Amino acid sequence: MLFDDAGYIATLDWIGQPVDRGSYCYVARRIPGTMHWDARGSWPYQSAPDPQALDAMVAQRGNAGDRTAPLTWTGVIRPDRPLPASPGTGLSTLVRPLKPHLWHDPCAAPAQARYSARTRRRLQHARSVFDVRVSPFWDQWQIISTWQDRLARRRGIPAVSSPDAAHFRGISRLEPGLTCIELRDRADGSLRGGLLLAFASDTGAWHAHSCLVDDGVRDAFGSFLLYDAALERLGDRPIYWGGQPSGANGAGVFRFKQRFSNASAMAHLVSIDIARHELDRLRASRPAYAWMPDYRNPGDELAHC
């Protein structure tokens, strides 16, 4: 799974400091007001951490010179893989349902069969304006990252949920990397949108990374055409579209994805205590928040991460 790979996690420095220990990797973040660090998993989600990797994080705490040795590991577990059954030797684990993720199940009745008359008209219009191509995600990163910045500003998406230009540049260099379903203007062939997906060889499923379009594309229903094209070109395998995004109109985006889905699965948030004694002292010194990990203030997280 691409989202698990060290090369991919190295592009997540918009979240924190990527750390590669060879057999495992994570994003390290300083715990505000302390000299301690904690570990965050990949974005948007990842496979459950290997118990041996968690045991290695415990051992890492014994290295006094390792300033990024984490107190906890927290991450979102991908919806097509099981939750960790045994997180590590004697480690306390909290598992919480995060949100449902919509997906296409190739063994169920296809979503296309349930398209409304309105959706079919919109797709017909979009096909008159745009062409669709499937290609590796390479040189499209600059314009697509510009669209991501624009979308984040318009919808007020927190920085912790909005990849930066360096991330898109980094993932464009990965091999194998992302697949891009391109939306091209029929008039001049210019790139007007892209749906980025990663293939998971362990489950044979596709996972959406992002869907970004230029101004005016939504008015011509180009996003409809991107998702429909994914079903047409990749729909012989499962496709996970993701859940409801943060920011304004998140509920509307979720309803949009439902048109192209015939199943849903829950993504879970998992937080694992690595250093129990240090955590006991830390938690005793500050309020417990409705957040994971519970010593982080959600207001600060969403405003400044």
Side-chain angles (χ1 to χ4, degrees), residues 69-87:
L71 298 186
T72 60
W73 182 94
T74 304
V76 180
I77 306 303
R78 52 192 273 207
D80 65 330
R81 293 289 291 167
L83 292 169
S86 177

Side-chain angles (χ1 to χ4, degrees), residues 21 86 88 95 162-163 166 187 220 227-228 233 256 259 263-265:
R21 298 296 177 194
S86 177
V95 179
S162 182
Y227 275 72
D228 181 73
R233 311 289 180 92
F256 168 80
R259 291 181 174 89
S264 66

Side-chain angles (χ1 to χ4, degrees), residues 258-301:
Q258 285 180 313
R259 291 181 174 89
F260 308 96
S261 308
N262 58 10
S264 66
M266 186 64 67
H268 289 80
L269 189 60
V270 173
S271 189
I272 302 171
D273 289 355
I274 304 297
R276 180 176 300 173
H277 297 302
E278 290 91 337
L279 284 166
D280 286 344
R281 291 194 293 269
L282 175 65
R283 286 170 171 144
S285 67
R286 58 180 61 200
Y289 298 100
W291 192 253
M292 291 176 68
D294 60 1
Y295 50 77
R296 283 187 172 270
N297 184 330
D300 291 342
E301 293 290 289

Side-chain angles (χ1 to χ4, degrees), residues 40-57:
R40 173 182 163 146
S42 188
W43 180 93
Y45 46 63
Q46 68 167 75
S47 306
D50 187 283
Q52 293 181 334
L54 293 168
D55 289 342
M57 288 187 198

Side-chain angles (χ1 to χ4, degrees), residues 136-148:
F137 179 62
W138 289 336
D139 57 357
Q140 312 97 321
W141 71 267
Q142 288 180 302
I143 188 168
I144 284 182
S145 66
T146 300
W147 296 337
Q148 175 66 47

Side-chain angles (χ1 to χ4, degrees), residues 70-280:
L71 298 186
T72 60
W73 182 94
T74 304
V76 180
I77 306 303
R78 52 192 273 207
D80 65 330
R81 293 289 291 167
L83 292 169
S86 177
T89 305
L91 301 181
S92 175
T93 302
L94 181 62
V95 179
R96 183 177 298 164
L98 181 61
K99 56 186 174 182
H101 280 228
L102 298 168
W103 65 290
H104 158 72
D105 181 353
C107 298
Q112 296 103 314
R114 303 195 314 271
Y115 283 172
S116 67
R118 175 182 290 183
T119 294
R120 295 182 189 278
R121 288 195 300 270
R122 289 175 173 179
L123 284 169
Q124 183 178 10
H125 176 74
R127 292 188 185 105
S128 72
V129 178
F130 305 109
D131 281 323
V132 174
R133 307 175 191 174
V134 179
S135 68
F137 179 62
W138 289 336
D139 57 357
Q140 312 97 321
W141 71 267
Q142 288 180 302
I143 188 168
I144 284 182
S145 66
T146 300
W147 296 337
Q148 175 66 47
D149 289 343
R150 184 186 303 161
L151 180 70
R153 290 194 302 270
R154 288 178 177 173
R155 292 188 175 170
I157 300 174
V160 72
S161 299
S162 182
D164 61 7
H167 171 73
F168 286 100
R169 181 177 64 247
I171 61 177
S172 72
R173 298 171 178 172
L174 298 178
E175 183 64 39
L178 293 168
T179 292
C180 181
I181 298 182
E182 299 180 348
L183 195 70
R184 295 277 177 176
D185 195 301
R186 278 186 176 272
D188 59 14
S190 61
L191 183 66
R192 301 298 307 281
L195 173 59
L196 307 183
L197 301 111
F199 183 68
S201 59
D202 55 347
T203 61
W206 291 94
H207 293 261
H209 174 280
S210 52
C211 181
L212 297 160
V213 297
D214 199 1
D215 285 341
V217 168
R218 289 182 179 83
D219 293 338
F221 310 113
S223 299
F224 283 69
L225 188 55
L226 284 171
Y227 275 72
D228 181 73
L231 292 176
E232 287 293 327
R233 311 289 180 92
L234 310 176
D236 59 331
R237 296 180 179 273
I239 307 174
Y240 286 82
W241 304 120
Q244 179 172 317
S246 57
N249 199 34
V253 173
F254 188 80
R255 289 192 299 271
F256 168 80
K257 293 177 183 178
Q258 285 180 313
R259 291 181 174 89
F260 308 96
S261 308
N262 58 10
S264 66
M266 186 64 67
H268 289 80
L269 189 60
V270 173
S271 189
I272 302 171
D273 289 355
I274 304 297
R276 180 176 300 173
H277 297 302
E278 290 91 337
L279 284 166
D280 286 344

